[in-house]
Amino acid sequence: INKSRIMKMPFNGMTLLDYAINASLVLMNTALLKQDKAGLITFAENVDTFIAADKKPAQLNVILDALYQQQTRFLEPDLEKLFSVVRNRITQRSLLVLFTNFETVESLQRDLPMLKRLAHYHLLMVVFFENTEIQTLIEKKAETTEEIYIKTIAQKYQYEKKRMVKELHQHGIIAVLTPPQNLTVNALNKYLELKNRQSI
């Protein structure tokens, strides 16, 4: 879970980090019920939490205790440090579910070299967020010149998010773009789909 500045964005009284924590708990509980191992990494400018994947009965409680203490940070995430920890401490090919966010194509392209390196060693699934307020602007009828301008910018922003999904796919990275309120369901469905396809 990325807990840097970009995950501080609010939505319906919760931050994106809150949604990521809730979704990861459901995902890990389901994985453990299916006899998969589950672990946790949280990071921002440093890797703060590392819980090795396991399927022991107490694993979910260990993860729950760690997640309860997580808070967003105000600095930028360091994916190079994340890669270093993953490379050195996760020796078996695994499914990595990265909860993060990208607001621009440029922000994705900055992280892409490290994402590609992670995907070289593991099955990487990047989960990031739609801005639902943008969708509301797009659906609203534009009548004034200013409203038309705002709607055009909103459509460009939405197009960029879809472009990010396409770019991740081109590099063999699974991408889940989701509204915050649908995060848990969409992340869980993708995990179950991968299980059914025996990708993991």
Side-chain angles (χ1 to χ4, degrees):
I1 300 175
N2 180 350
K3 53 182 231 175
S4 67
R5 179 184 57 79
I6 55 172
M7 297 296 277
K8 202 173 179 65
M9 189 181 294
F11 179 81
N12 284 354
M14 292 167 59
T15 65
L16 296 183
L17 178 64
D18 294 327
Y19 284 96
I21 287 170
N22 291 343
S24 64
L25 274 172
V26 172
L27 192 58
M28 285 186 277
N29 186 47
T30 304
L32 290 166
L33 288 170
K34 290 189 168 291
Q35 298 302 305
D36 281 336
K37 294 179 180 179
L40 173 69
I41 301 172
T42 66
F43 72 100
E45 72 280 11
N46 292 303
V47 173
D48 298 318
T49 307
F50 181 90
I51 298 172
D54 206 315
K55 53 184 177 183
K56 61 189 178 188
Q59 183 74 346
L60 194 63
N61 286 335
V62 172
I63 290 168
L64 186 60
D65 288 344
L67 285 173
Y68 182 72
Q69 300 171 44
Q70 302 302 319
Q71 292 183 325
T72 47
R73 306 289 287 270
F74 290 95
L75 299 173
E76 295 300 316
D78 190 332
L79 266 73
E80 196 161 341
K81 287 180 181 172
L82 173 67
F83 173 78
S84 178
V85 168
V86 169
R87 187 76 187 101
N88 291 320
R89 300 185 68 176
I90 305 177
T91 54
Q92 188 175 6
R93 184 170 171 82
S94 306
L95 169 65
L96 299 180
V97 181
L98 174 60
F99 292 96
T100 189
N101 201 31
F102 305 107
E103 284 304 307
T104 63
V105 171
E106 289 75 24
S107 66
L108 169 63
Q109 286 170 344
R110 272 197 309 272
D111 289 345
L112 200 53
M114 282 301 139
L115 295 176
K116 286 160 65 177
R117 290 181 73 185
L118 284 167
H120 179 73
Y121 295 101
H122 300 279
L123 181 61
L124 178 61
M125 178 169 123
V126 174
V127 184
F128 63 112
F129 296 91
E130 289 178 14
N131 188 324
T132 51
E133 290 178 10
I134 294 289
Q135 187 59 39
T136 304
L137 287 172
I138 290 169
E139 291 170 359
K140 185 181 175 184
K141 188 178 179 183
E143 295 176 347
T144 66
T145 304
E146 184 183 1
E147 286 172 348
I148 291 167
Y149 176 75
I150 290 168
K151 186 169 183 171
T152 303
I153 296 296
Q155 287 170 331
K156 179 179 179 292
Y157 182 89
Q158 188 184 59
Y159 168 77
E160 282 204 346
K161 287 275 186 174
K162 289 177 180 172
R163 191 176 140 203
M164 291 180 213
V165 171
K166 190 173 180 182
E167 185 149 6
L168 286 165
H169 285 166
Q170 284 173 345
H171 295 288
I173 299 166
I174 301 160
V176 177
L177 175 62
T178 177
Q181 71 271 24
N182 296 341
L183 172 61
T184 299
V185 170
N186 289 340
L188 187 58
N189 283 344
K190 181 56 74 172
Y191 161 74
L192 293 172
E193 177 192 322
L194 292 169
K195 284 288 285 181
N196 289 337
R197 281 168 31 195
Q198 296 184 323
S199 298
I200 52 174

